[in-house]
Amino acid sequence: FLPVANDEAKNQLRCKLSLPKNINIILCVGHFSQDKSALDLLDAWLQIQDNKLEPQSAIIFIGSRNTDNFEVDVDTVNKIQFKSNKFLNKYIFFVENTNKIYEYYQVSDIYVLPSLREGLPNTLLEAMSCGLPVISSNLDGITDWIINDGVDGFLFKPANVNELRLILVKLLEDEVLRKKLGVKARETIKLRFDILFTAQNIHNLYDKLSSK
């Protein structure tokens, strides 16, 4: 989970994945349940498009839409598919699953985690490791523990589509800010979530517990 070397490498990877070049890509990863709230991201993006003749950004949704999966919400899937229809495969892309998810982080410009509930969100850590500026719902003791708001990402109140929209606009319009946040995000991962650092913390915890 590393950033791409440069814009040329990013565009080559976009061609490989049949994604548009010269446009900002927003990425969201997670199955289509109510808790993952992908519909909030779509609604925020659609509001941004209301006054535009041509979208200046695209969205990739990675996750299962298979309603046989108990975690997938049928109503959420139906609403997202209906609202996406106008932009499908031009500005909105659905990827059911992939063994190379890191490539989708590498071709993206912004990562959004709009969840109402999470454990430790690995996708957020993966996006930050790839140097992406991230936007996440503010979940007490979870995402607010990972993200320093305004420094290595942005937090918004869960289910607040308007707040999410405003942050998206801010990042889509400011390439310098995106790059600054992305650099800081990767630094956060290297300093706090590197495997050696994490393993040592776990080792120390077991040492502490075993000594009691």
Side-chain angles (χ1 to χ4, degrees):
F1 293 94
L2 303 168
V4 288
N6 50 48
D7 288 341
E8 181 181 354
K10 178 185 281 190
N11 281 329
Q12 288 176 352
L13 192 50
R14 285 188 180 188
C15 286
K16 172 188 170 183
L17 298 173
S18 300
L19 295 168
K21 297 189 291 184
N22 305 317
I23 194 171
N24 292 316
I25 292 181
I26 302 160
L27 177 65
C28 182
V29 179
H31 55 267
F32 290 87
S33 68
Q34 291 184 351
D35 283 339
K36 293 296 184 182
S37 299
L39 190 57
D40 287 348
L41 170 57
L42 179 58
D43 284 343
W45 185 84
L46 289 172
Q47 287 178 19
I48 295 171
Q49 312 316 313
D50 281 348
N51 298 317
K52 291 184 177 180
L53 297 176
E54 190 80 3
Q56 299 301 308
S57 60
I59 304 181
I60 303 171
F61 290 105
I62 299 179
S64 176
R65 289 176 290 161
N66 183 355
T67 53
D68 290 335
N69 182 336
F70 75 95
E71 292 183 302
V72 174
D73 178 65
V74 176
D75 187 51
T76 298
V77 170
N78 289 339
K79 286 180 179 178
I80 282 182
Q81 291 183 159
F82 175 77
K83 291 184 176 186
S84 300
N85 190 56
K86 176 182 175 181
F87 302 98
L88 193 61
N89 296 327
K90 187 175 181 182
Y91 297 108
I92 296 179
F93 303 86
F94 291 99
V95 178
E96 191 73 16
N97 56 66
T98 174
N99 292 323
K100 295 183 177 180
I101 196 169
Y102 59 89
E103 292 185 335
Y104 288 91
Y105 291 118
Q106 291 171 338
V107 298
S108 298
D109 299 286
I110 298 170
Y111 183 76
V112 179
L113 181 82
S115 300
L116 301 178
R117 181 171 59 87
E118 284 284 347
L120 178 65
N122 287 331
T123 61
L124 188 62
L125 303 182
E126 291 166 354
M128 294 172 72
S129 183
C130 289
L132 285 180
V134 295
I135 305 171
S136 173
S137 49
N138 191 346
L139 304 176
D140 290 344
I142 301 173
T143 57
D144 64 349
W145 173 72
I146 298 171
I147 294 173
N148 185 359
D149 190 29
V151 176
D152 52 13
F154 283 114
L155 297 169
F156 69 97
K157 185 177 180 181
N160 191 324
V161 173
N162 186 57
E163 187 179 0
L164 173 55
R165 176 183 61 82
L166 292 174
I167 297 172
L168 272 175
V169 169
K170 185 174 184 177
L171 281 181
L172 288 169
E173 293 181 347
D174 193 336
E175 182 180 1
V176 173
L177 179 59
R178 291 199 306 272
K179 289 183 177 179
K180 179 181 177 181
L181 289 175
V183 169
K184 288 293 185 181
R186 180 156 173 79
E187 287 178 1
T188 293
I189 297 300
K190 292 170 71 176
L191 289 172
R192 296 177 53 207
F193 296 97
D194 181 89
I195 186 61
L196 296 178
F197 176 81
T198 303
Q200 187 61 54
N201 280 346
I202 294 172
H203 179 78
N204 293 343
L205 177 61
Y206 276 103
D207 268 356
K208 183 178 180 180
L209 292 173
S210 63
S211 65
K212 291 185 178 181

